[in-house]
Amino acid sequence: MAKPKKTGLRAIRNVIASLRAIDPEMPAQQVAVLLEVALSPGISQREIATRLSISQSAVSRNVNALGERHRKGGDGLELLETGPFQGTARGMGPAPTGYHLTARARHVLGQLEEVSR
């Protein structure tokens, strides 16, 4: 088995560090939901559930935590905005903070792809 390149591992570590700066205990499922929304702005919760093979209630719980208000009444992470989003009747997209975070992740992972060529 080939050894992973250290540069690639460092890039992944940097993406994780960006997420941990926002919430040191962010679950992987929240990261997956955030990335699905970043990949497909305007996406519905039902579509996220299908793509990630998780329940719609799990999507809802994660969207609330990533949004403005957490379901338990506390402040959310404000990484997502819920619909209507950019002309869609429903759906969601990255809030400004979420957009910048996912743009940084794309940049870091783009560097990783360049290194591995």
Side-chain angles (χ1 to χ4, degrees), residues 70-86:
H70 195 276
R71 70 185 174 103
K72 294 182 180 178
D75 291 336
L77 298 174
E78 298 185 16
L79 297 174
L80 296 182
E81 294 177 344
T82 55
F85 185 78
Q86 294 183 348

Side-chain angles (χ1 to χ4, degrees), residues 7 19 22-23 31 33 43 55 60 75 77 82 88 105 110 112:
T7 305
L19 293 167
I22 292 170
D23 181 359
V31 174
V33 169
I43 192 170
S55 69
S60 178
D75 291 336
L77 298 174
T82 55
T88 61
L112 172 61

